[in-house]
């Protein structure tokens, strides 16, 4: 699963060497989502077209749903958490995970359009 590697390591979908994001740390609040225009290694275009990453909403949304489903099962069924506490907890967790979810969404999104190629 080469695409999985690119997504989880936030690497360029084409060469798997260049970084997709300028900052390694998703919690560096400044520039957390800044991406280079092109891959520093293989020169793959990371912007593809203006507003390209608006489409990444379609890939981040299922991640959010998945995390919510997982948390609901864990907090409500296993921990028998009260609904009010549950909503506060789930909001806080999703808020904290937001930078990672957005990065994952974008990494998946660009992998839909760009395939891995060996050195050319
Ligand atoms: Zn590359």
């Amino acid at each position: 699963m080469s695409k999985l590697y690119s997504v989880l390591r936030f690497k360029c979908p084409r060469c798997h060497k260049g970084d997709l994001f300028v900052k390694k740390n998703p919690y560096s609040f400044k520039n957390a989502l800044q991406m280079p225009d092109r891959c520093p290694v293989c020169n793959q275009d990371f912007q593809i077209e203006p507003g390209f990453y608006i489409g990444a909403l379609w890939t981040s949304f299922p991640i959010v749903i998945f995390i919510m489903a997982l948390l609901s099962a864990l907090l409500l069924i296993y921990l028998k958490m009260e609904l009010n506490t549950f909503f506060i907890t789930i909001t806080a967790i999703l808020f904290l995970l937001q930078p990672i979810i957005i990065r994952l969404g974008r990494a998946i999104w660009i992998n839909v359009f760009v395939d891995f190629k060996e050195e050319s």
Side-chain angles (χ1 to χ4, degrees):
M1 274 305 282
S2 71
K3 286 194 184 289
L4 201 63
Y5 175 88
S6 158
V7 168
L8 294 180
R9 306 285 308 271
F10 300 116
K11 292 289 184 191
C12 166
R14 181 158 155 205
C15 66
H16 290 179
K17 292 197 180 88
D19 288 316
L20 269 178
F21 295 91
V22 175
K23 292 275 159 68
K24 282 228 182 271
N25 177 9
Y27 292 99
S28 65
F29 275 95
K30 263 189 186 173
N31 316 327
L33 290 174
Q34 201 187 334
M35 304 170 75
D37 287 338
R38 293 185 167 274
C39 173
V41 179
C42 72
N43 208 33
Q44 164 67 41
D45 186 0
F46 281 170
Q47 301 305 327
I48 301 188
E49 61 186 26
F52 176 68
Y53 290 101
I54 293 169
L57 284 176
W58 292 106
T59 44
S60 359
F61 192 59
I63 302 175
V64 172
I65 301 291
F66 176 74
I67 293 174
M68 282 182 79
L70 214 65
L71 284 175
S72 307
L74 181 76
L75 300 178
L76 292 176
I77 299 168
Y78 288 102
L79 298 179
K80 307 209 184 303
M81 195 177 259
E82 274 189 54
L83 269 186
N84 282 341
T85 328
F86 167 72
F87 283 121
I88 294 167
T89 312
I90 207 166
T91 309
I93 292 176
L94 281 176
F95 181 76
L96 285 173
L97 289 177
Q98 191 72 359
I100 294 172
I101 295 171
I102 294 174
R103 281 188 174 211
L104 279 175
R106 290 187 175 196
I108 295 169
W109 187 241
I110 196 169
N111 264 283
V112 172
F113 296 92
V114 181
D115 290 324
F116 179 64
K117 284 196 188 77
E118 290 292 344
E119 302 291 304
S120 51

